[in-house]
Each structure stands twice: as C-alpha cells, then as structure tokens.
Amino acid sequence: MPSIVVEDLRKSYPKRRSGEVVRAVDGVSFEVAEGEVLGLLGPNGAGKTTTIKMICGLIRPDSGRVSVLGIDNRRDRQKALRHISAVLEGNRNLYWRLTVRENMEYFAGNRGRSRRAVKGRIDDLLGSFDLKGKENELVNSLSRGMQQKLAIAVAMLADTEVLLLDEPTLGLDVETAFEVREHLRRIAYAEGKTVLLSSHDMAVVQDVCERTVIINRGRVVVDEQVSNLLRLFQTRAYTITVQGELSDGQERQLRSKFPVLKLDKGAEETVIGVDLAHSEDIYELFKILEQERTPIETIDRSTVHFEEVFRQVVAGDVAAGALERKEVEVNA
Amino acid sequence: MHNVLAANIRKQWIELKRYLPNTISMIITFYAIFLLLFLGIQVVGAPGAAGESTRYLIVSMVLWFLALVAMQGIGWEITTEATRGTLEQLYMSPVPTWRILFARMVGEVLANLVVLFLVMALAMLTARQWLVFDLATLLPLFLLTILGMIGVGFLVAGLALVYKQIQAFLQIAQFIFMAMVAMPVTLSLWLEALPVLRGATMIRRAMTEGVSLLGFTGFEWLLLGLNSVLWLGLGVVVYRAAERRAMNRGLLGQY
C-alpha cells in the first residue's frame, strides 16, 4: 500500500484584491510508496506548497482526495496526522521565545507526550543534529541553518512514518544547505521514512530523492525516477580538441558523417563539437582523425545536471511529448 | 490531554518569567489604574460607602484582569502565531487544535494568577480594605466563571483565525470587558444571557459581602453553571466553524 495517495487534487483561490480566481492546483495526482523519497519540484507559484498543505490537511481541497497510510485525511484528519509530521516553508515552525529543548518538549507535549517520555529521544536528536551545545539557547539567537535543523528535529521527534518538508533549504547559505541535505539523506535512508519534499533547489532533489514529480501551473508535468530522467536527457555530446588544423578531406568526411558538427578552427588547435546518435560512432570519428595522425589533446563529454532537465521540462511544459520522444531516441 | 495541558501551562509560565520586564510593567499599569480609580472614589464617592466601593473596585479590577487574560489573550496569540507561522504547526498535532488552545488559555490564566495576586495584594494594602477569601466558595465560582470567559476567548480566537487583523477590535474589547465585569447581573433579566456577568456578580458578593457557597441559592448556581457551559460550548462550536472556513480558504498560514 502506498504511504501517500493524492488523487485529482484541485484548489482555487480568489485573489485578495481583484477577487480573480486563481487555480493553484489543477488536478494533481501521484503516489508515494512506503520508504520512498519523493521530490516535488516546480517553479515559484507552481502549486507545491498548496499541494503539501493539502496533504497535511491545513488547506481543504475543492475536490480530490488525499490519503495517508490508507486514512482519508478529509474524513479523518486527526487520525491521519498521527502518521504525518511536517517542516513548513521558512523559519516559521518554532517558538522564538523558547529554547531549543523547550521547543522540542512543547511540540511533543502538544502531541500528547510527556517530557519524561521524550527526554531520551530529544537527547539523541540533539546529538545527531549537532544541537547539543545549543539546547538551552533561545531559538531567536540561532542561525537560520540551526533553526532549520531544529525544525527538522522537532518533526522527527513526532516519530511519524511520513515526513513532509516544504522547501527545506530555502534561504540557507551553500554550506548549511549542504549540511541540511546530508541530514535529509540520513533521515531518508537510515531511518526508512517516507519523505515528500518540495523544492526548487535541484541539488536537493538530485541528491536526496529517488523519484520526482514536477508540477507547473498546478499540474503534474513529469512523474519519473530521478535517474531515468537524467538518463533521458543525457546527450552524447563530445568536445574534442586536436592540435593544429584539420585537412580539407578530414573536414569533409566529418561534415558528411556527423550532421550536427561544430568546428572552431585555429592555427594552434581545433575544437570539434559533435552530438553522437550512437555511442559507437566515436570510433568513426577517431578513424577520420587517425588518417592524418592528428594529435588529440582532450576529449570531454558534457554531463547533464538535473537543473538543466528541470529547466527544459518547465520551459513551456515540454514534458509528456518531449519525454516520450526522448525515450524513443534512447531505446533506438 | 493532561500532557497537552502540562506543556501549555509550562510554556505560558516560561514566557511570563522570561519576559519579566513586560510582566512587571503589566503589574504597574494595573496598579496605576487602580490608584486612579481609588483616588476617584476618595474625591467624589460618598464618604460612608467608600470602603464598600473600594472593595467593589478591587474585585472588579481582578475580574477585568482575568477577562483580559482569558478572553482576549488568545486573540492576540492567534494573531501572533499566524504572523510567526507557528499556528500551522499547532494544526499539525493529532490533538484537535481547540483542545490545545483550551490548554493554552488555562495555562495563561494559571500563569497570570501570580500577577493577579500581586496586584490584588498591592491594592488591598494601599486601600486598607480586605476582601473575603473563602476558598470553598471562590474555587467553584472562579472555575465556572473562567470557563465562560474561555468560551468568549474561543469566539475571539475564531474571529482572529478568519480575519487576522483584529488588533483594533481587541483594543476596544478591553473596555467592553471592563463594562461586563462591573455590571451587576441583577439590573435586568436579559443580562443573565450575557457571558461572565452572572459569575462576576456572584464573585463580587462572595468577596465583598462574604456570601458563602451555601449563601447562594441553588438557582443562582444553576444559572452560573448553565451560562458558563453554554458560552463555552458556543465558543468551541463557533471556533471550529471558523477553523473550517480558514482551512477552505487557506488562511491558517496567512496574516
């Protein structure tokens, strides 16, 4: 049974001033399997936060269904919440006038657990999130990164099967974002939780998530394993730098064999850019270079980053059609 | 539920202690208000009834303080929590939020009892007028009256949940509460329907005239019980309706 099932979720809001109705989420459906780490990706205003909040039951959908471990969260929200904890966007999850430990104790108390019952777990979490030395400091005085780690620790303290994180690295500096990512990886893989995180930080998704659902303008445009998505977009583009110039015969052969060819000719060196349809085509290229015993200086293969994939998917919703085409290319 | 209650009482107590300057300024403000009104009684009041009027004044001030803490405090808290974002985290608990807020209001009242006793002691020492402290009578009286106040607190909380910008209303409400706690319920039968008035009247009689538990009629206790339970029930029902509206409109995280 999937841990989270989201079925045809829709939500529209009237804009505050104009009253114009905006469709924030427009028929979103996906599932998250038990123990899976799913990244909900999308540009600003795509509907990620609204979707996460509907899964938490903080916003009621106009239509559609959310179930958590088989519990319908509209019909039985309180029961569903026993299995969900969430870190919501920004540094808005904690009481700034309470200390680190007091925050943990307070939120555990609100879940009906006594201070004594959670003492040991709090000590463990403070240790694993490197917050032990700060336990008696006011949240007010913590750095943004520490506040975020504490917010995640508070969510972990609830010991729920499902953890939802909305933009967990937003507003963090590069180093802290990396640290938070490491904690998320640990939570995901060592603790075996089902994690749904939203982000527009590609590094988080590429690093932490197995699968991604990309939403744009309130709709799902891609639902795919991260590794598959990277493979689909992986181009076989090579850049080869050779010493000196190519002969006219070599250039002619290259142009006839490889239609997508870039040649930067120089007296010292020539840079050849080529997109190969099949990986074994590289031997043909080498044969042409070998004819004149042209010295090869460097060979580079361009690598694809998730950011690029995301950019391409979101730019004009190329998703479904383009992905299918790419899939055909890969299979061919 | 007792862990929720303990956590919220502790939170309110910690905040009261941690912001001591704020707490002290609260005590000074209330004491200053008392002094002004006390002076008023000395200057314009009938000389023969000054003692009784002062005792009446002290009890009314105590009740006003309680009303502000129980009825209005939660409105400020909801507004602040929505601004800071913690309100949504309260809604992530499997314990229904109205119960957490109930615990919060109880915590707020209990933590502020210290302030209340200080102000009351200062007022009594200044005026050299002593109130009657019959715990067996006062305990049930205060308990029931505070329950009714919490009911009104829920109404205010519901309003804050949906409309958020209710600071102006809260400021005006202070004076409405002041009138409520000072008005004897015996003036009109209709006043029985209003919250807090019945309890305030009985507390005043118990503390100024020394009326005991059995000195009140069964009917009076019944009226107080009914009034408090009905207002508490109404408050919770309205709050939960406001909560549904806020969730439908996605207002919990907005301010």
Side-chain angles (χ1 to χ4, degrees), chain B residues 78-92:
Chain B
I78 294 259
T79 312
T80 317
E81 297 229 3
T83 316
R84 293 189 184 147
T86 39
L87 185 64
E88 285 182 310
Q89 278 300 342
L90 289 187
Y91 271 89
M92 286 307 296

Side-chain angles (χ1 to χ4, degrees), chain B residues 236-252:
Chain B
V236 173
V237 168
V238 170
Y239 178 78
R240 298 201 72 180
E243 190 177 78
R244 274 194 296 279
R245 193 181 165 91
M247 281 174 171
N248 281 331
R249 292 183 166 198
L251 295 174
L252 292 180

Side-chain angles (χ1 to χ4, degrees), chain A residues 11 16 53 58-60 77-78 81 86 92-95 97 102 105-106 110-112 114-115, chain B residues 3 8 10 18-19 81 83-86 88-95 104 247-248 253-254:
Chain A
K11 185 74 196 177
R16 259 191 188 172
K53 286 189 180 175
L58 295 171
I59 294 178
R60 276 176 187 243
R77 179 173 179 271
Q78 243 68 43
L81 283 176
R92 298 160 46 81
N93 295 282
L94 304 163
Y95 288 94
R97 292 173 167 199
E102 284 163 359
E105 287 171 344
Y106 178 64
N110 273 346
R111 281 186 162 262
S114 72
R115 282 167 72 200
Chain B
N3 285 329
N8 280 282
R10 190 163 172 265
R18 193 153 290 155
Y19 293 87
E81 297 229 3
T83 316
R84 293 189 184 147
T86 39
E88 285 182 310
Q89 278 300 342
L90 289 187
Y91 271 89
M92 286 307 296
S93 165
V95 175
R104 187 73 74 80
M247 281 174 171
N248 281 331
Q254 286 180 10

Side-chain angles (χ1 to χ4, degrees), chain B residues 70-237:
Chain B
M71 309 208 283
Q72 199 194 24
I74 201 68
W76 289 111
E77 295 234 352
I78 294 259
T79 312
T80 317
E81 297 229 3
T83 316
R84 293 189 184 147
T86 39
L87 185 64
E88 285 182 310
Q89 278 300 342
L90 289 187
Y91 271 89
M92 286 307 296
S93 165
V95 175
T97 312
W98 73 266
R99 287 197 209 167
I100 297 178
L101 290 183
F102 180 80
R104 187 73 74 80
M105 287 189 257
V106 171
E108 182 82 352
V109 170
L110 288 180
N112 276 292
L113 278 183
V114 179
V115 179
L116 185 73
F117 278 119
L118 265 173
V119 175
M120 195 160 58
L122 275 174
M124 286 195 298
L125 280 170
T126 311
R128 303 215 162 270
Q129 290 292 330
W130 313 105
L131 299 171
V132 183
F133 283 92
D134 172 13
L135 274 185
T137 311
L138 290 183
L139 225 56
L141 271 179
F142 270 99
L143 209 69
L144 286 170
T145 309
I146 288 170
L147 276 185
M149 286 177 174
I150 289 178
V152 180
F154 272 117
L155 292 177
V156 176
L159 211 61
L161 210 54
V162 176
Y163 297 105
K164 301 287 166 16
Q165 313 289 333
I166 62 158
Q167 285 90 336
F169 165 76
L170 289 178
Q171 270 154 7
I172 297 166
Q174 297 183 51
F175 302 105
I176 301 175
F177 295 159
M178 191 191 249
M180 274 167 73
V181 297
M183 205 184 298
V185 75
T186 42
L187 285 178
S188 155
L189 194 65
W190 289 104
L191 293 180
E192 290 286 357
L194 293 178
V196 184
L197 265 67
R198 158 60 48 194
T201 305
M202 287 169 77
I203 288 174
R204 244 187 329 262
R205 283 179 62 203
M207 291 184 90
T208 59
E209 297 164 25
V211 179
S212 71
L213 186 80
L214 297 173
F216 294 110
T217 64
F219 186 62
E220 280 176 305
W221 280 107
L222 182 73
L223 278 177
L224 175 61
L226 269 177
N227 184 291
S228 296
V229 169
L230 285 177
W231 276 101
L232 179 65
L234 180 73
V236 173
V237 168

Side-chain angles (χ1 to χ4, degrees), chain A residues 69-80:
Chain A
L69 298 176
I71 303 162
D72 186 325
N73 92 339
R74 187 169 190 141
R75 219 174 298 155
D76 214 345
R77 179 173 179 271
Q78 243 68 43
K79 201 172 160 196

Side-chain angles (χ1 to χ4, degrees), chain A residues 153-171:
Chain A
V154 168
M156 292 291 294
L157 183 61
D159 271 332
T160 54
E161 296 91 331
V162 177
L163 180 63
L164 304 172
L165 301 131
D166 192 12
E167 297 280 5
T169 57
L170 190 73

Side-chain angles (χ1 to χ4, degrees), chain A residues 229-294:
Chain A
L229 210 54
L230 286 170
R231 196 166 50 83
L232 286 174
F233 278 79
Q234 189 90 52
T235 55
R236 293 196 183 85
Y238 288 87
T239 307
I240 297 153
T241 312
V242 298
Q243 260 181 35
E245 290 182 63
L246 296 176
S247 70
D248 290 348
Q250 278 178 310
E251 194 178 323
R252 211 172 26 252
Q253 286 179 66
L254 279 175
R255 287 199 189 278
S256 68
K257 184 78 191 165
F258 306 104
V260 199
L261 180 78
K262 273 191 290 180
L263 269 182
D264 288 339
K265 292 186 251 182
E268 301 280 313
E269 59 176 32
T270 304
V271 180
I272 307 163
V274 64
D275 202 348
L276 303 177
H278 306 288
S279 46
E280 53 277 21
D281 285 351
I282 195 139
Y283 301 124
E284 295 295 325
L285 190 128
F286 285 160
K287 266 184 212 160
I288 298 168
L289 295 176
E290 197 187 4
Q291 290 164 12
E292 309 273 340
R293 306 206 68 74
T294 311

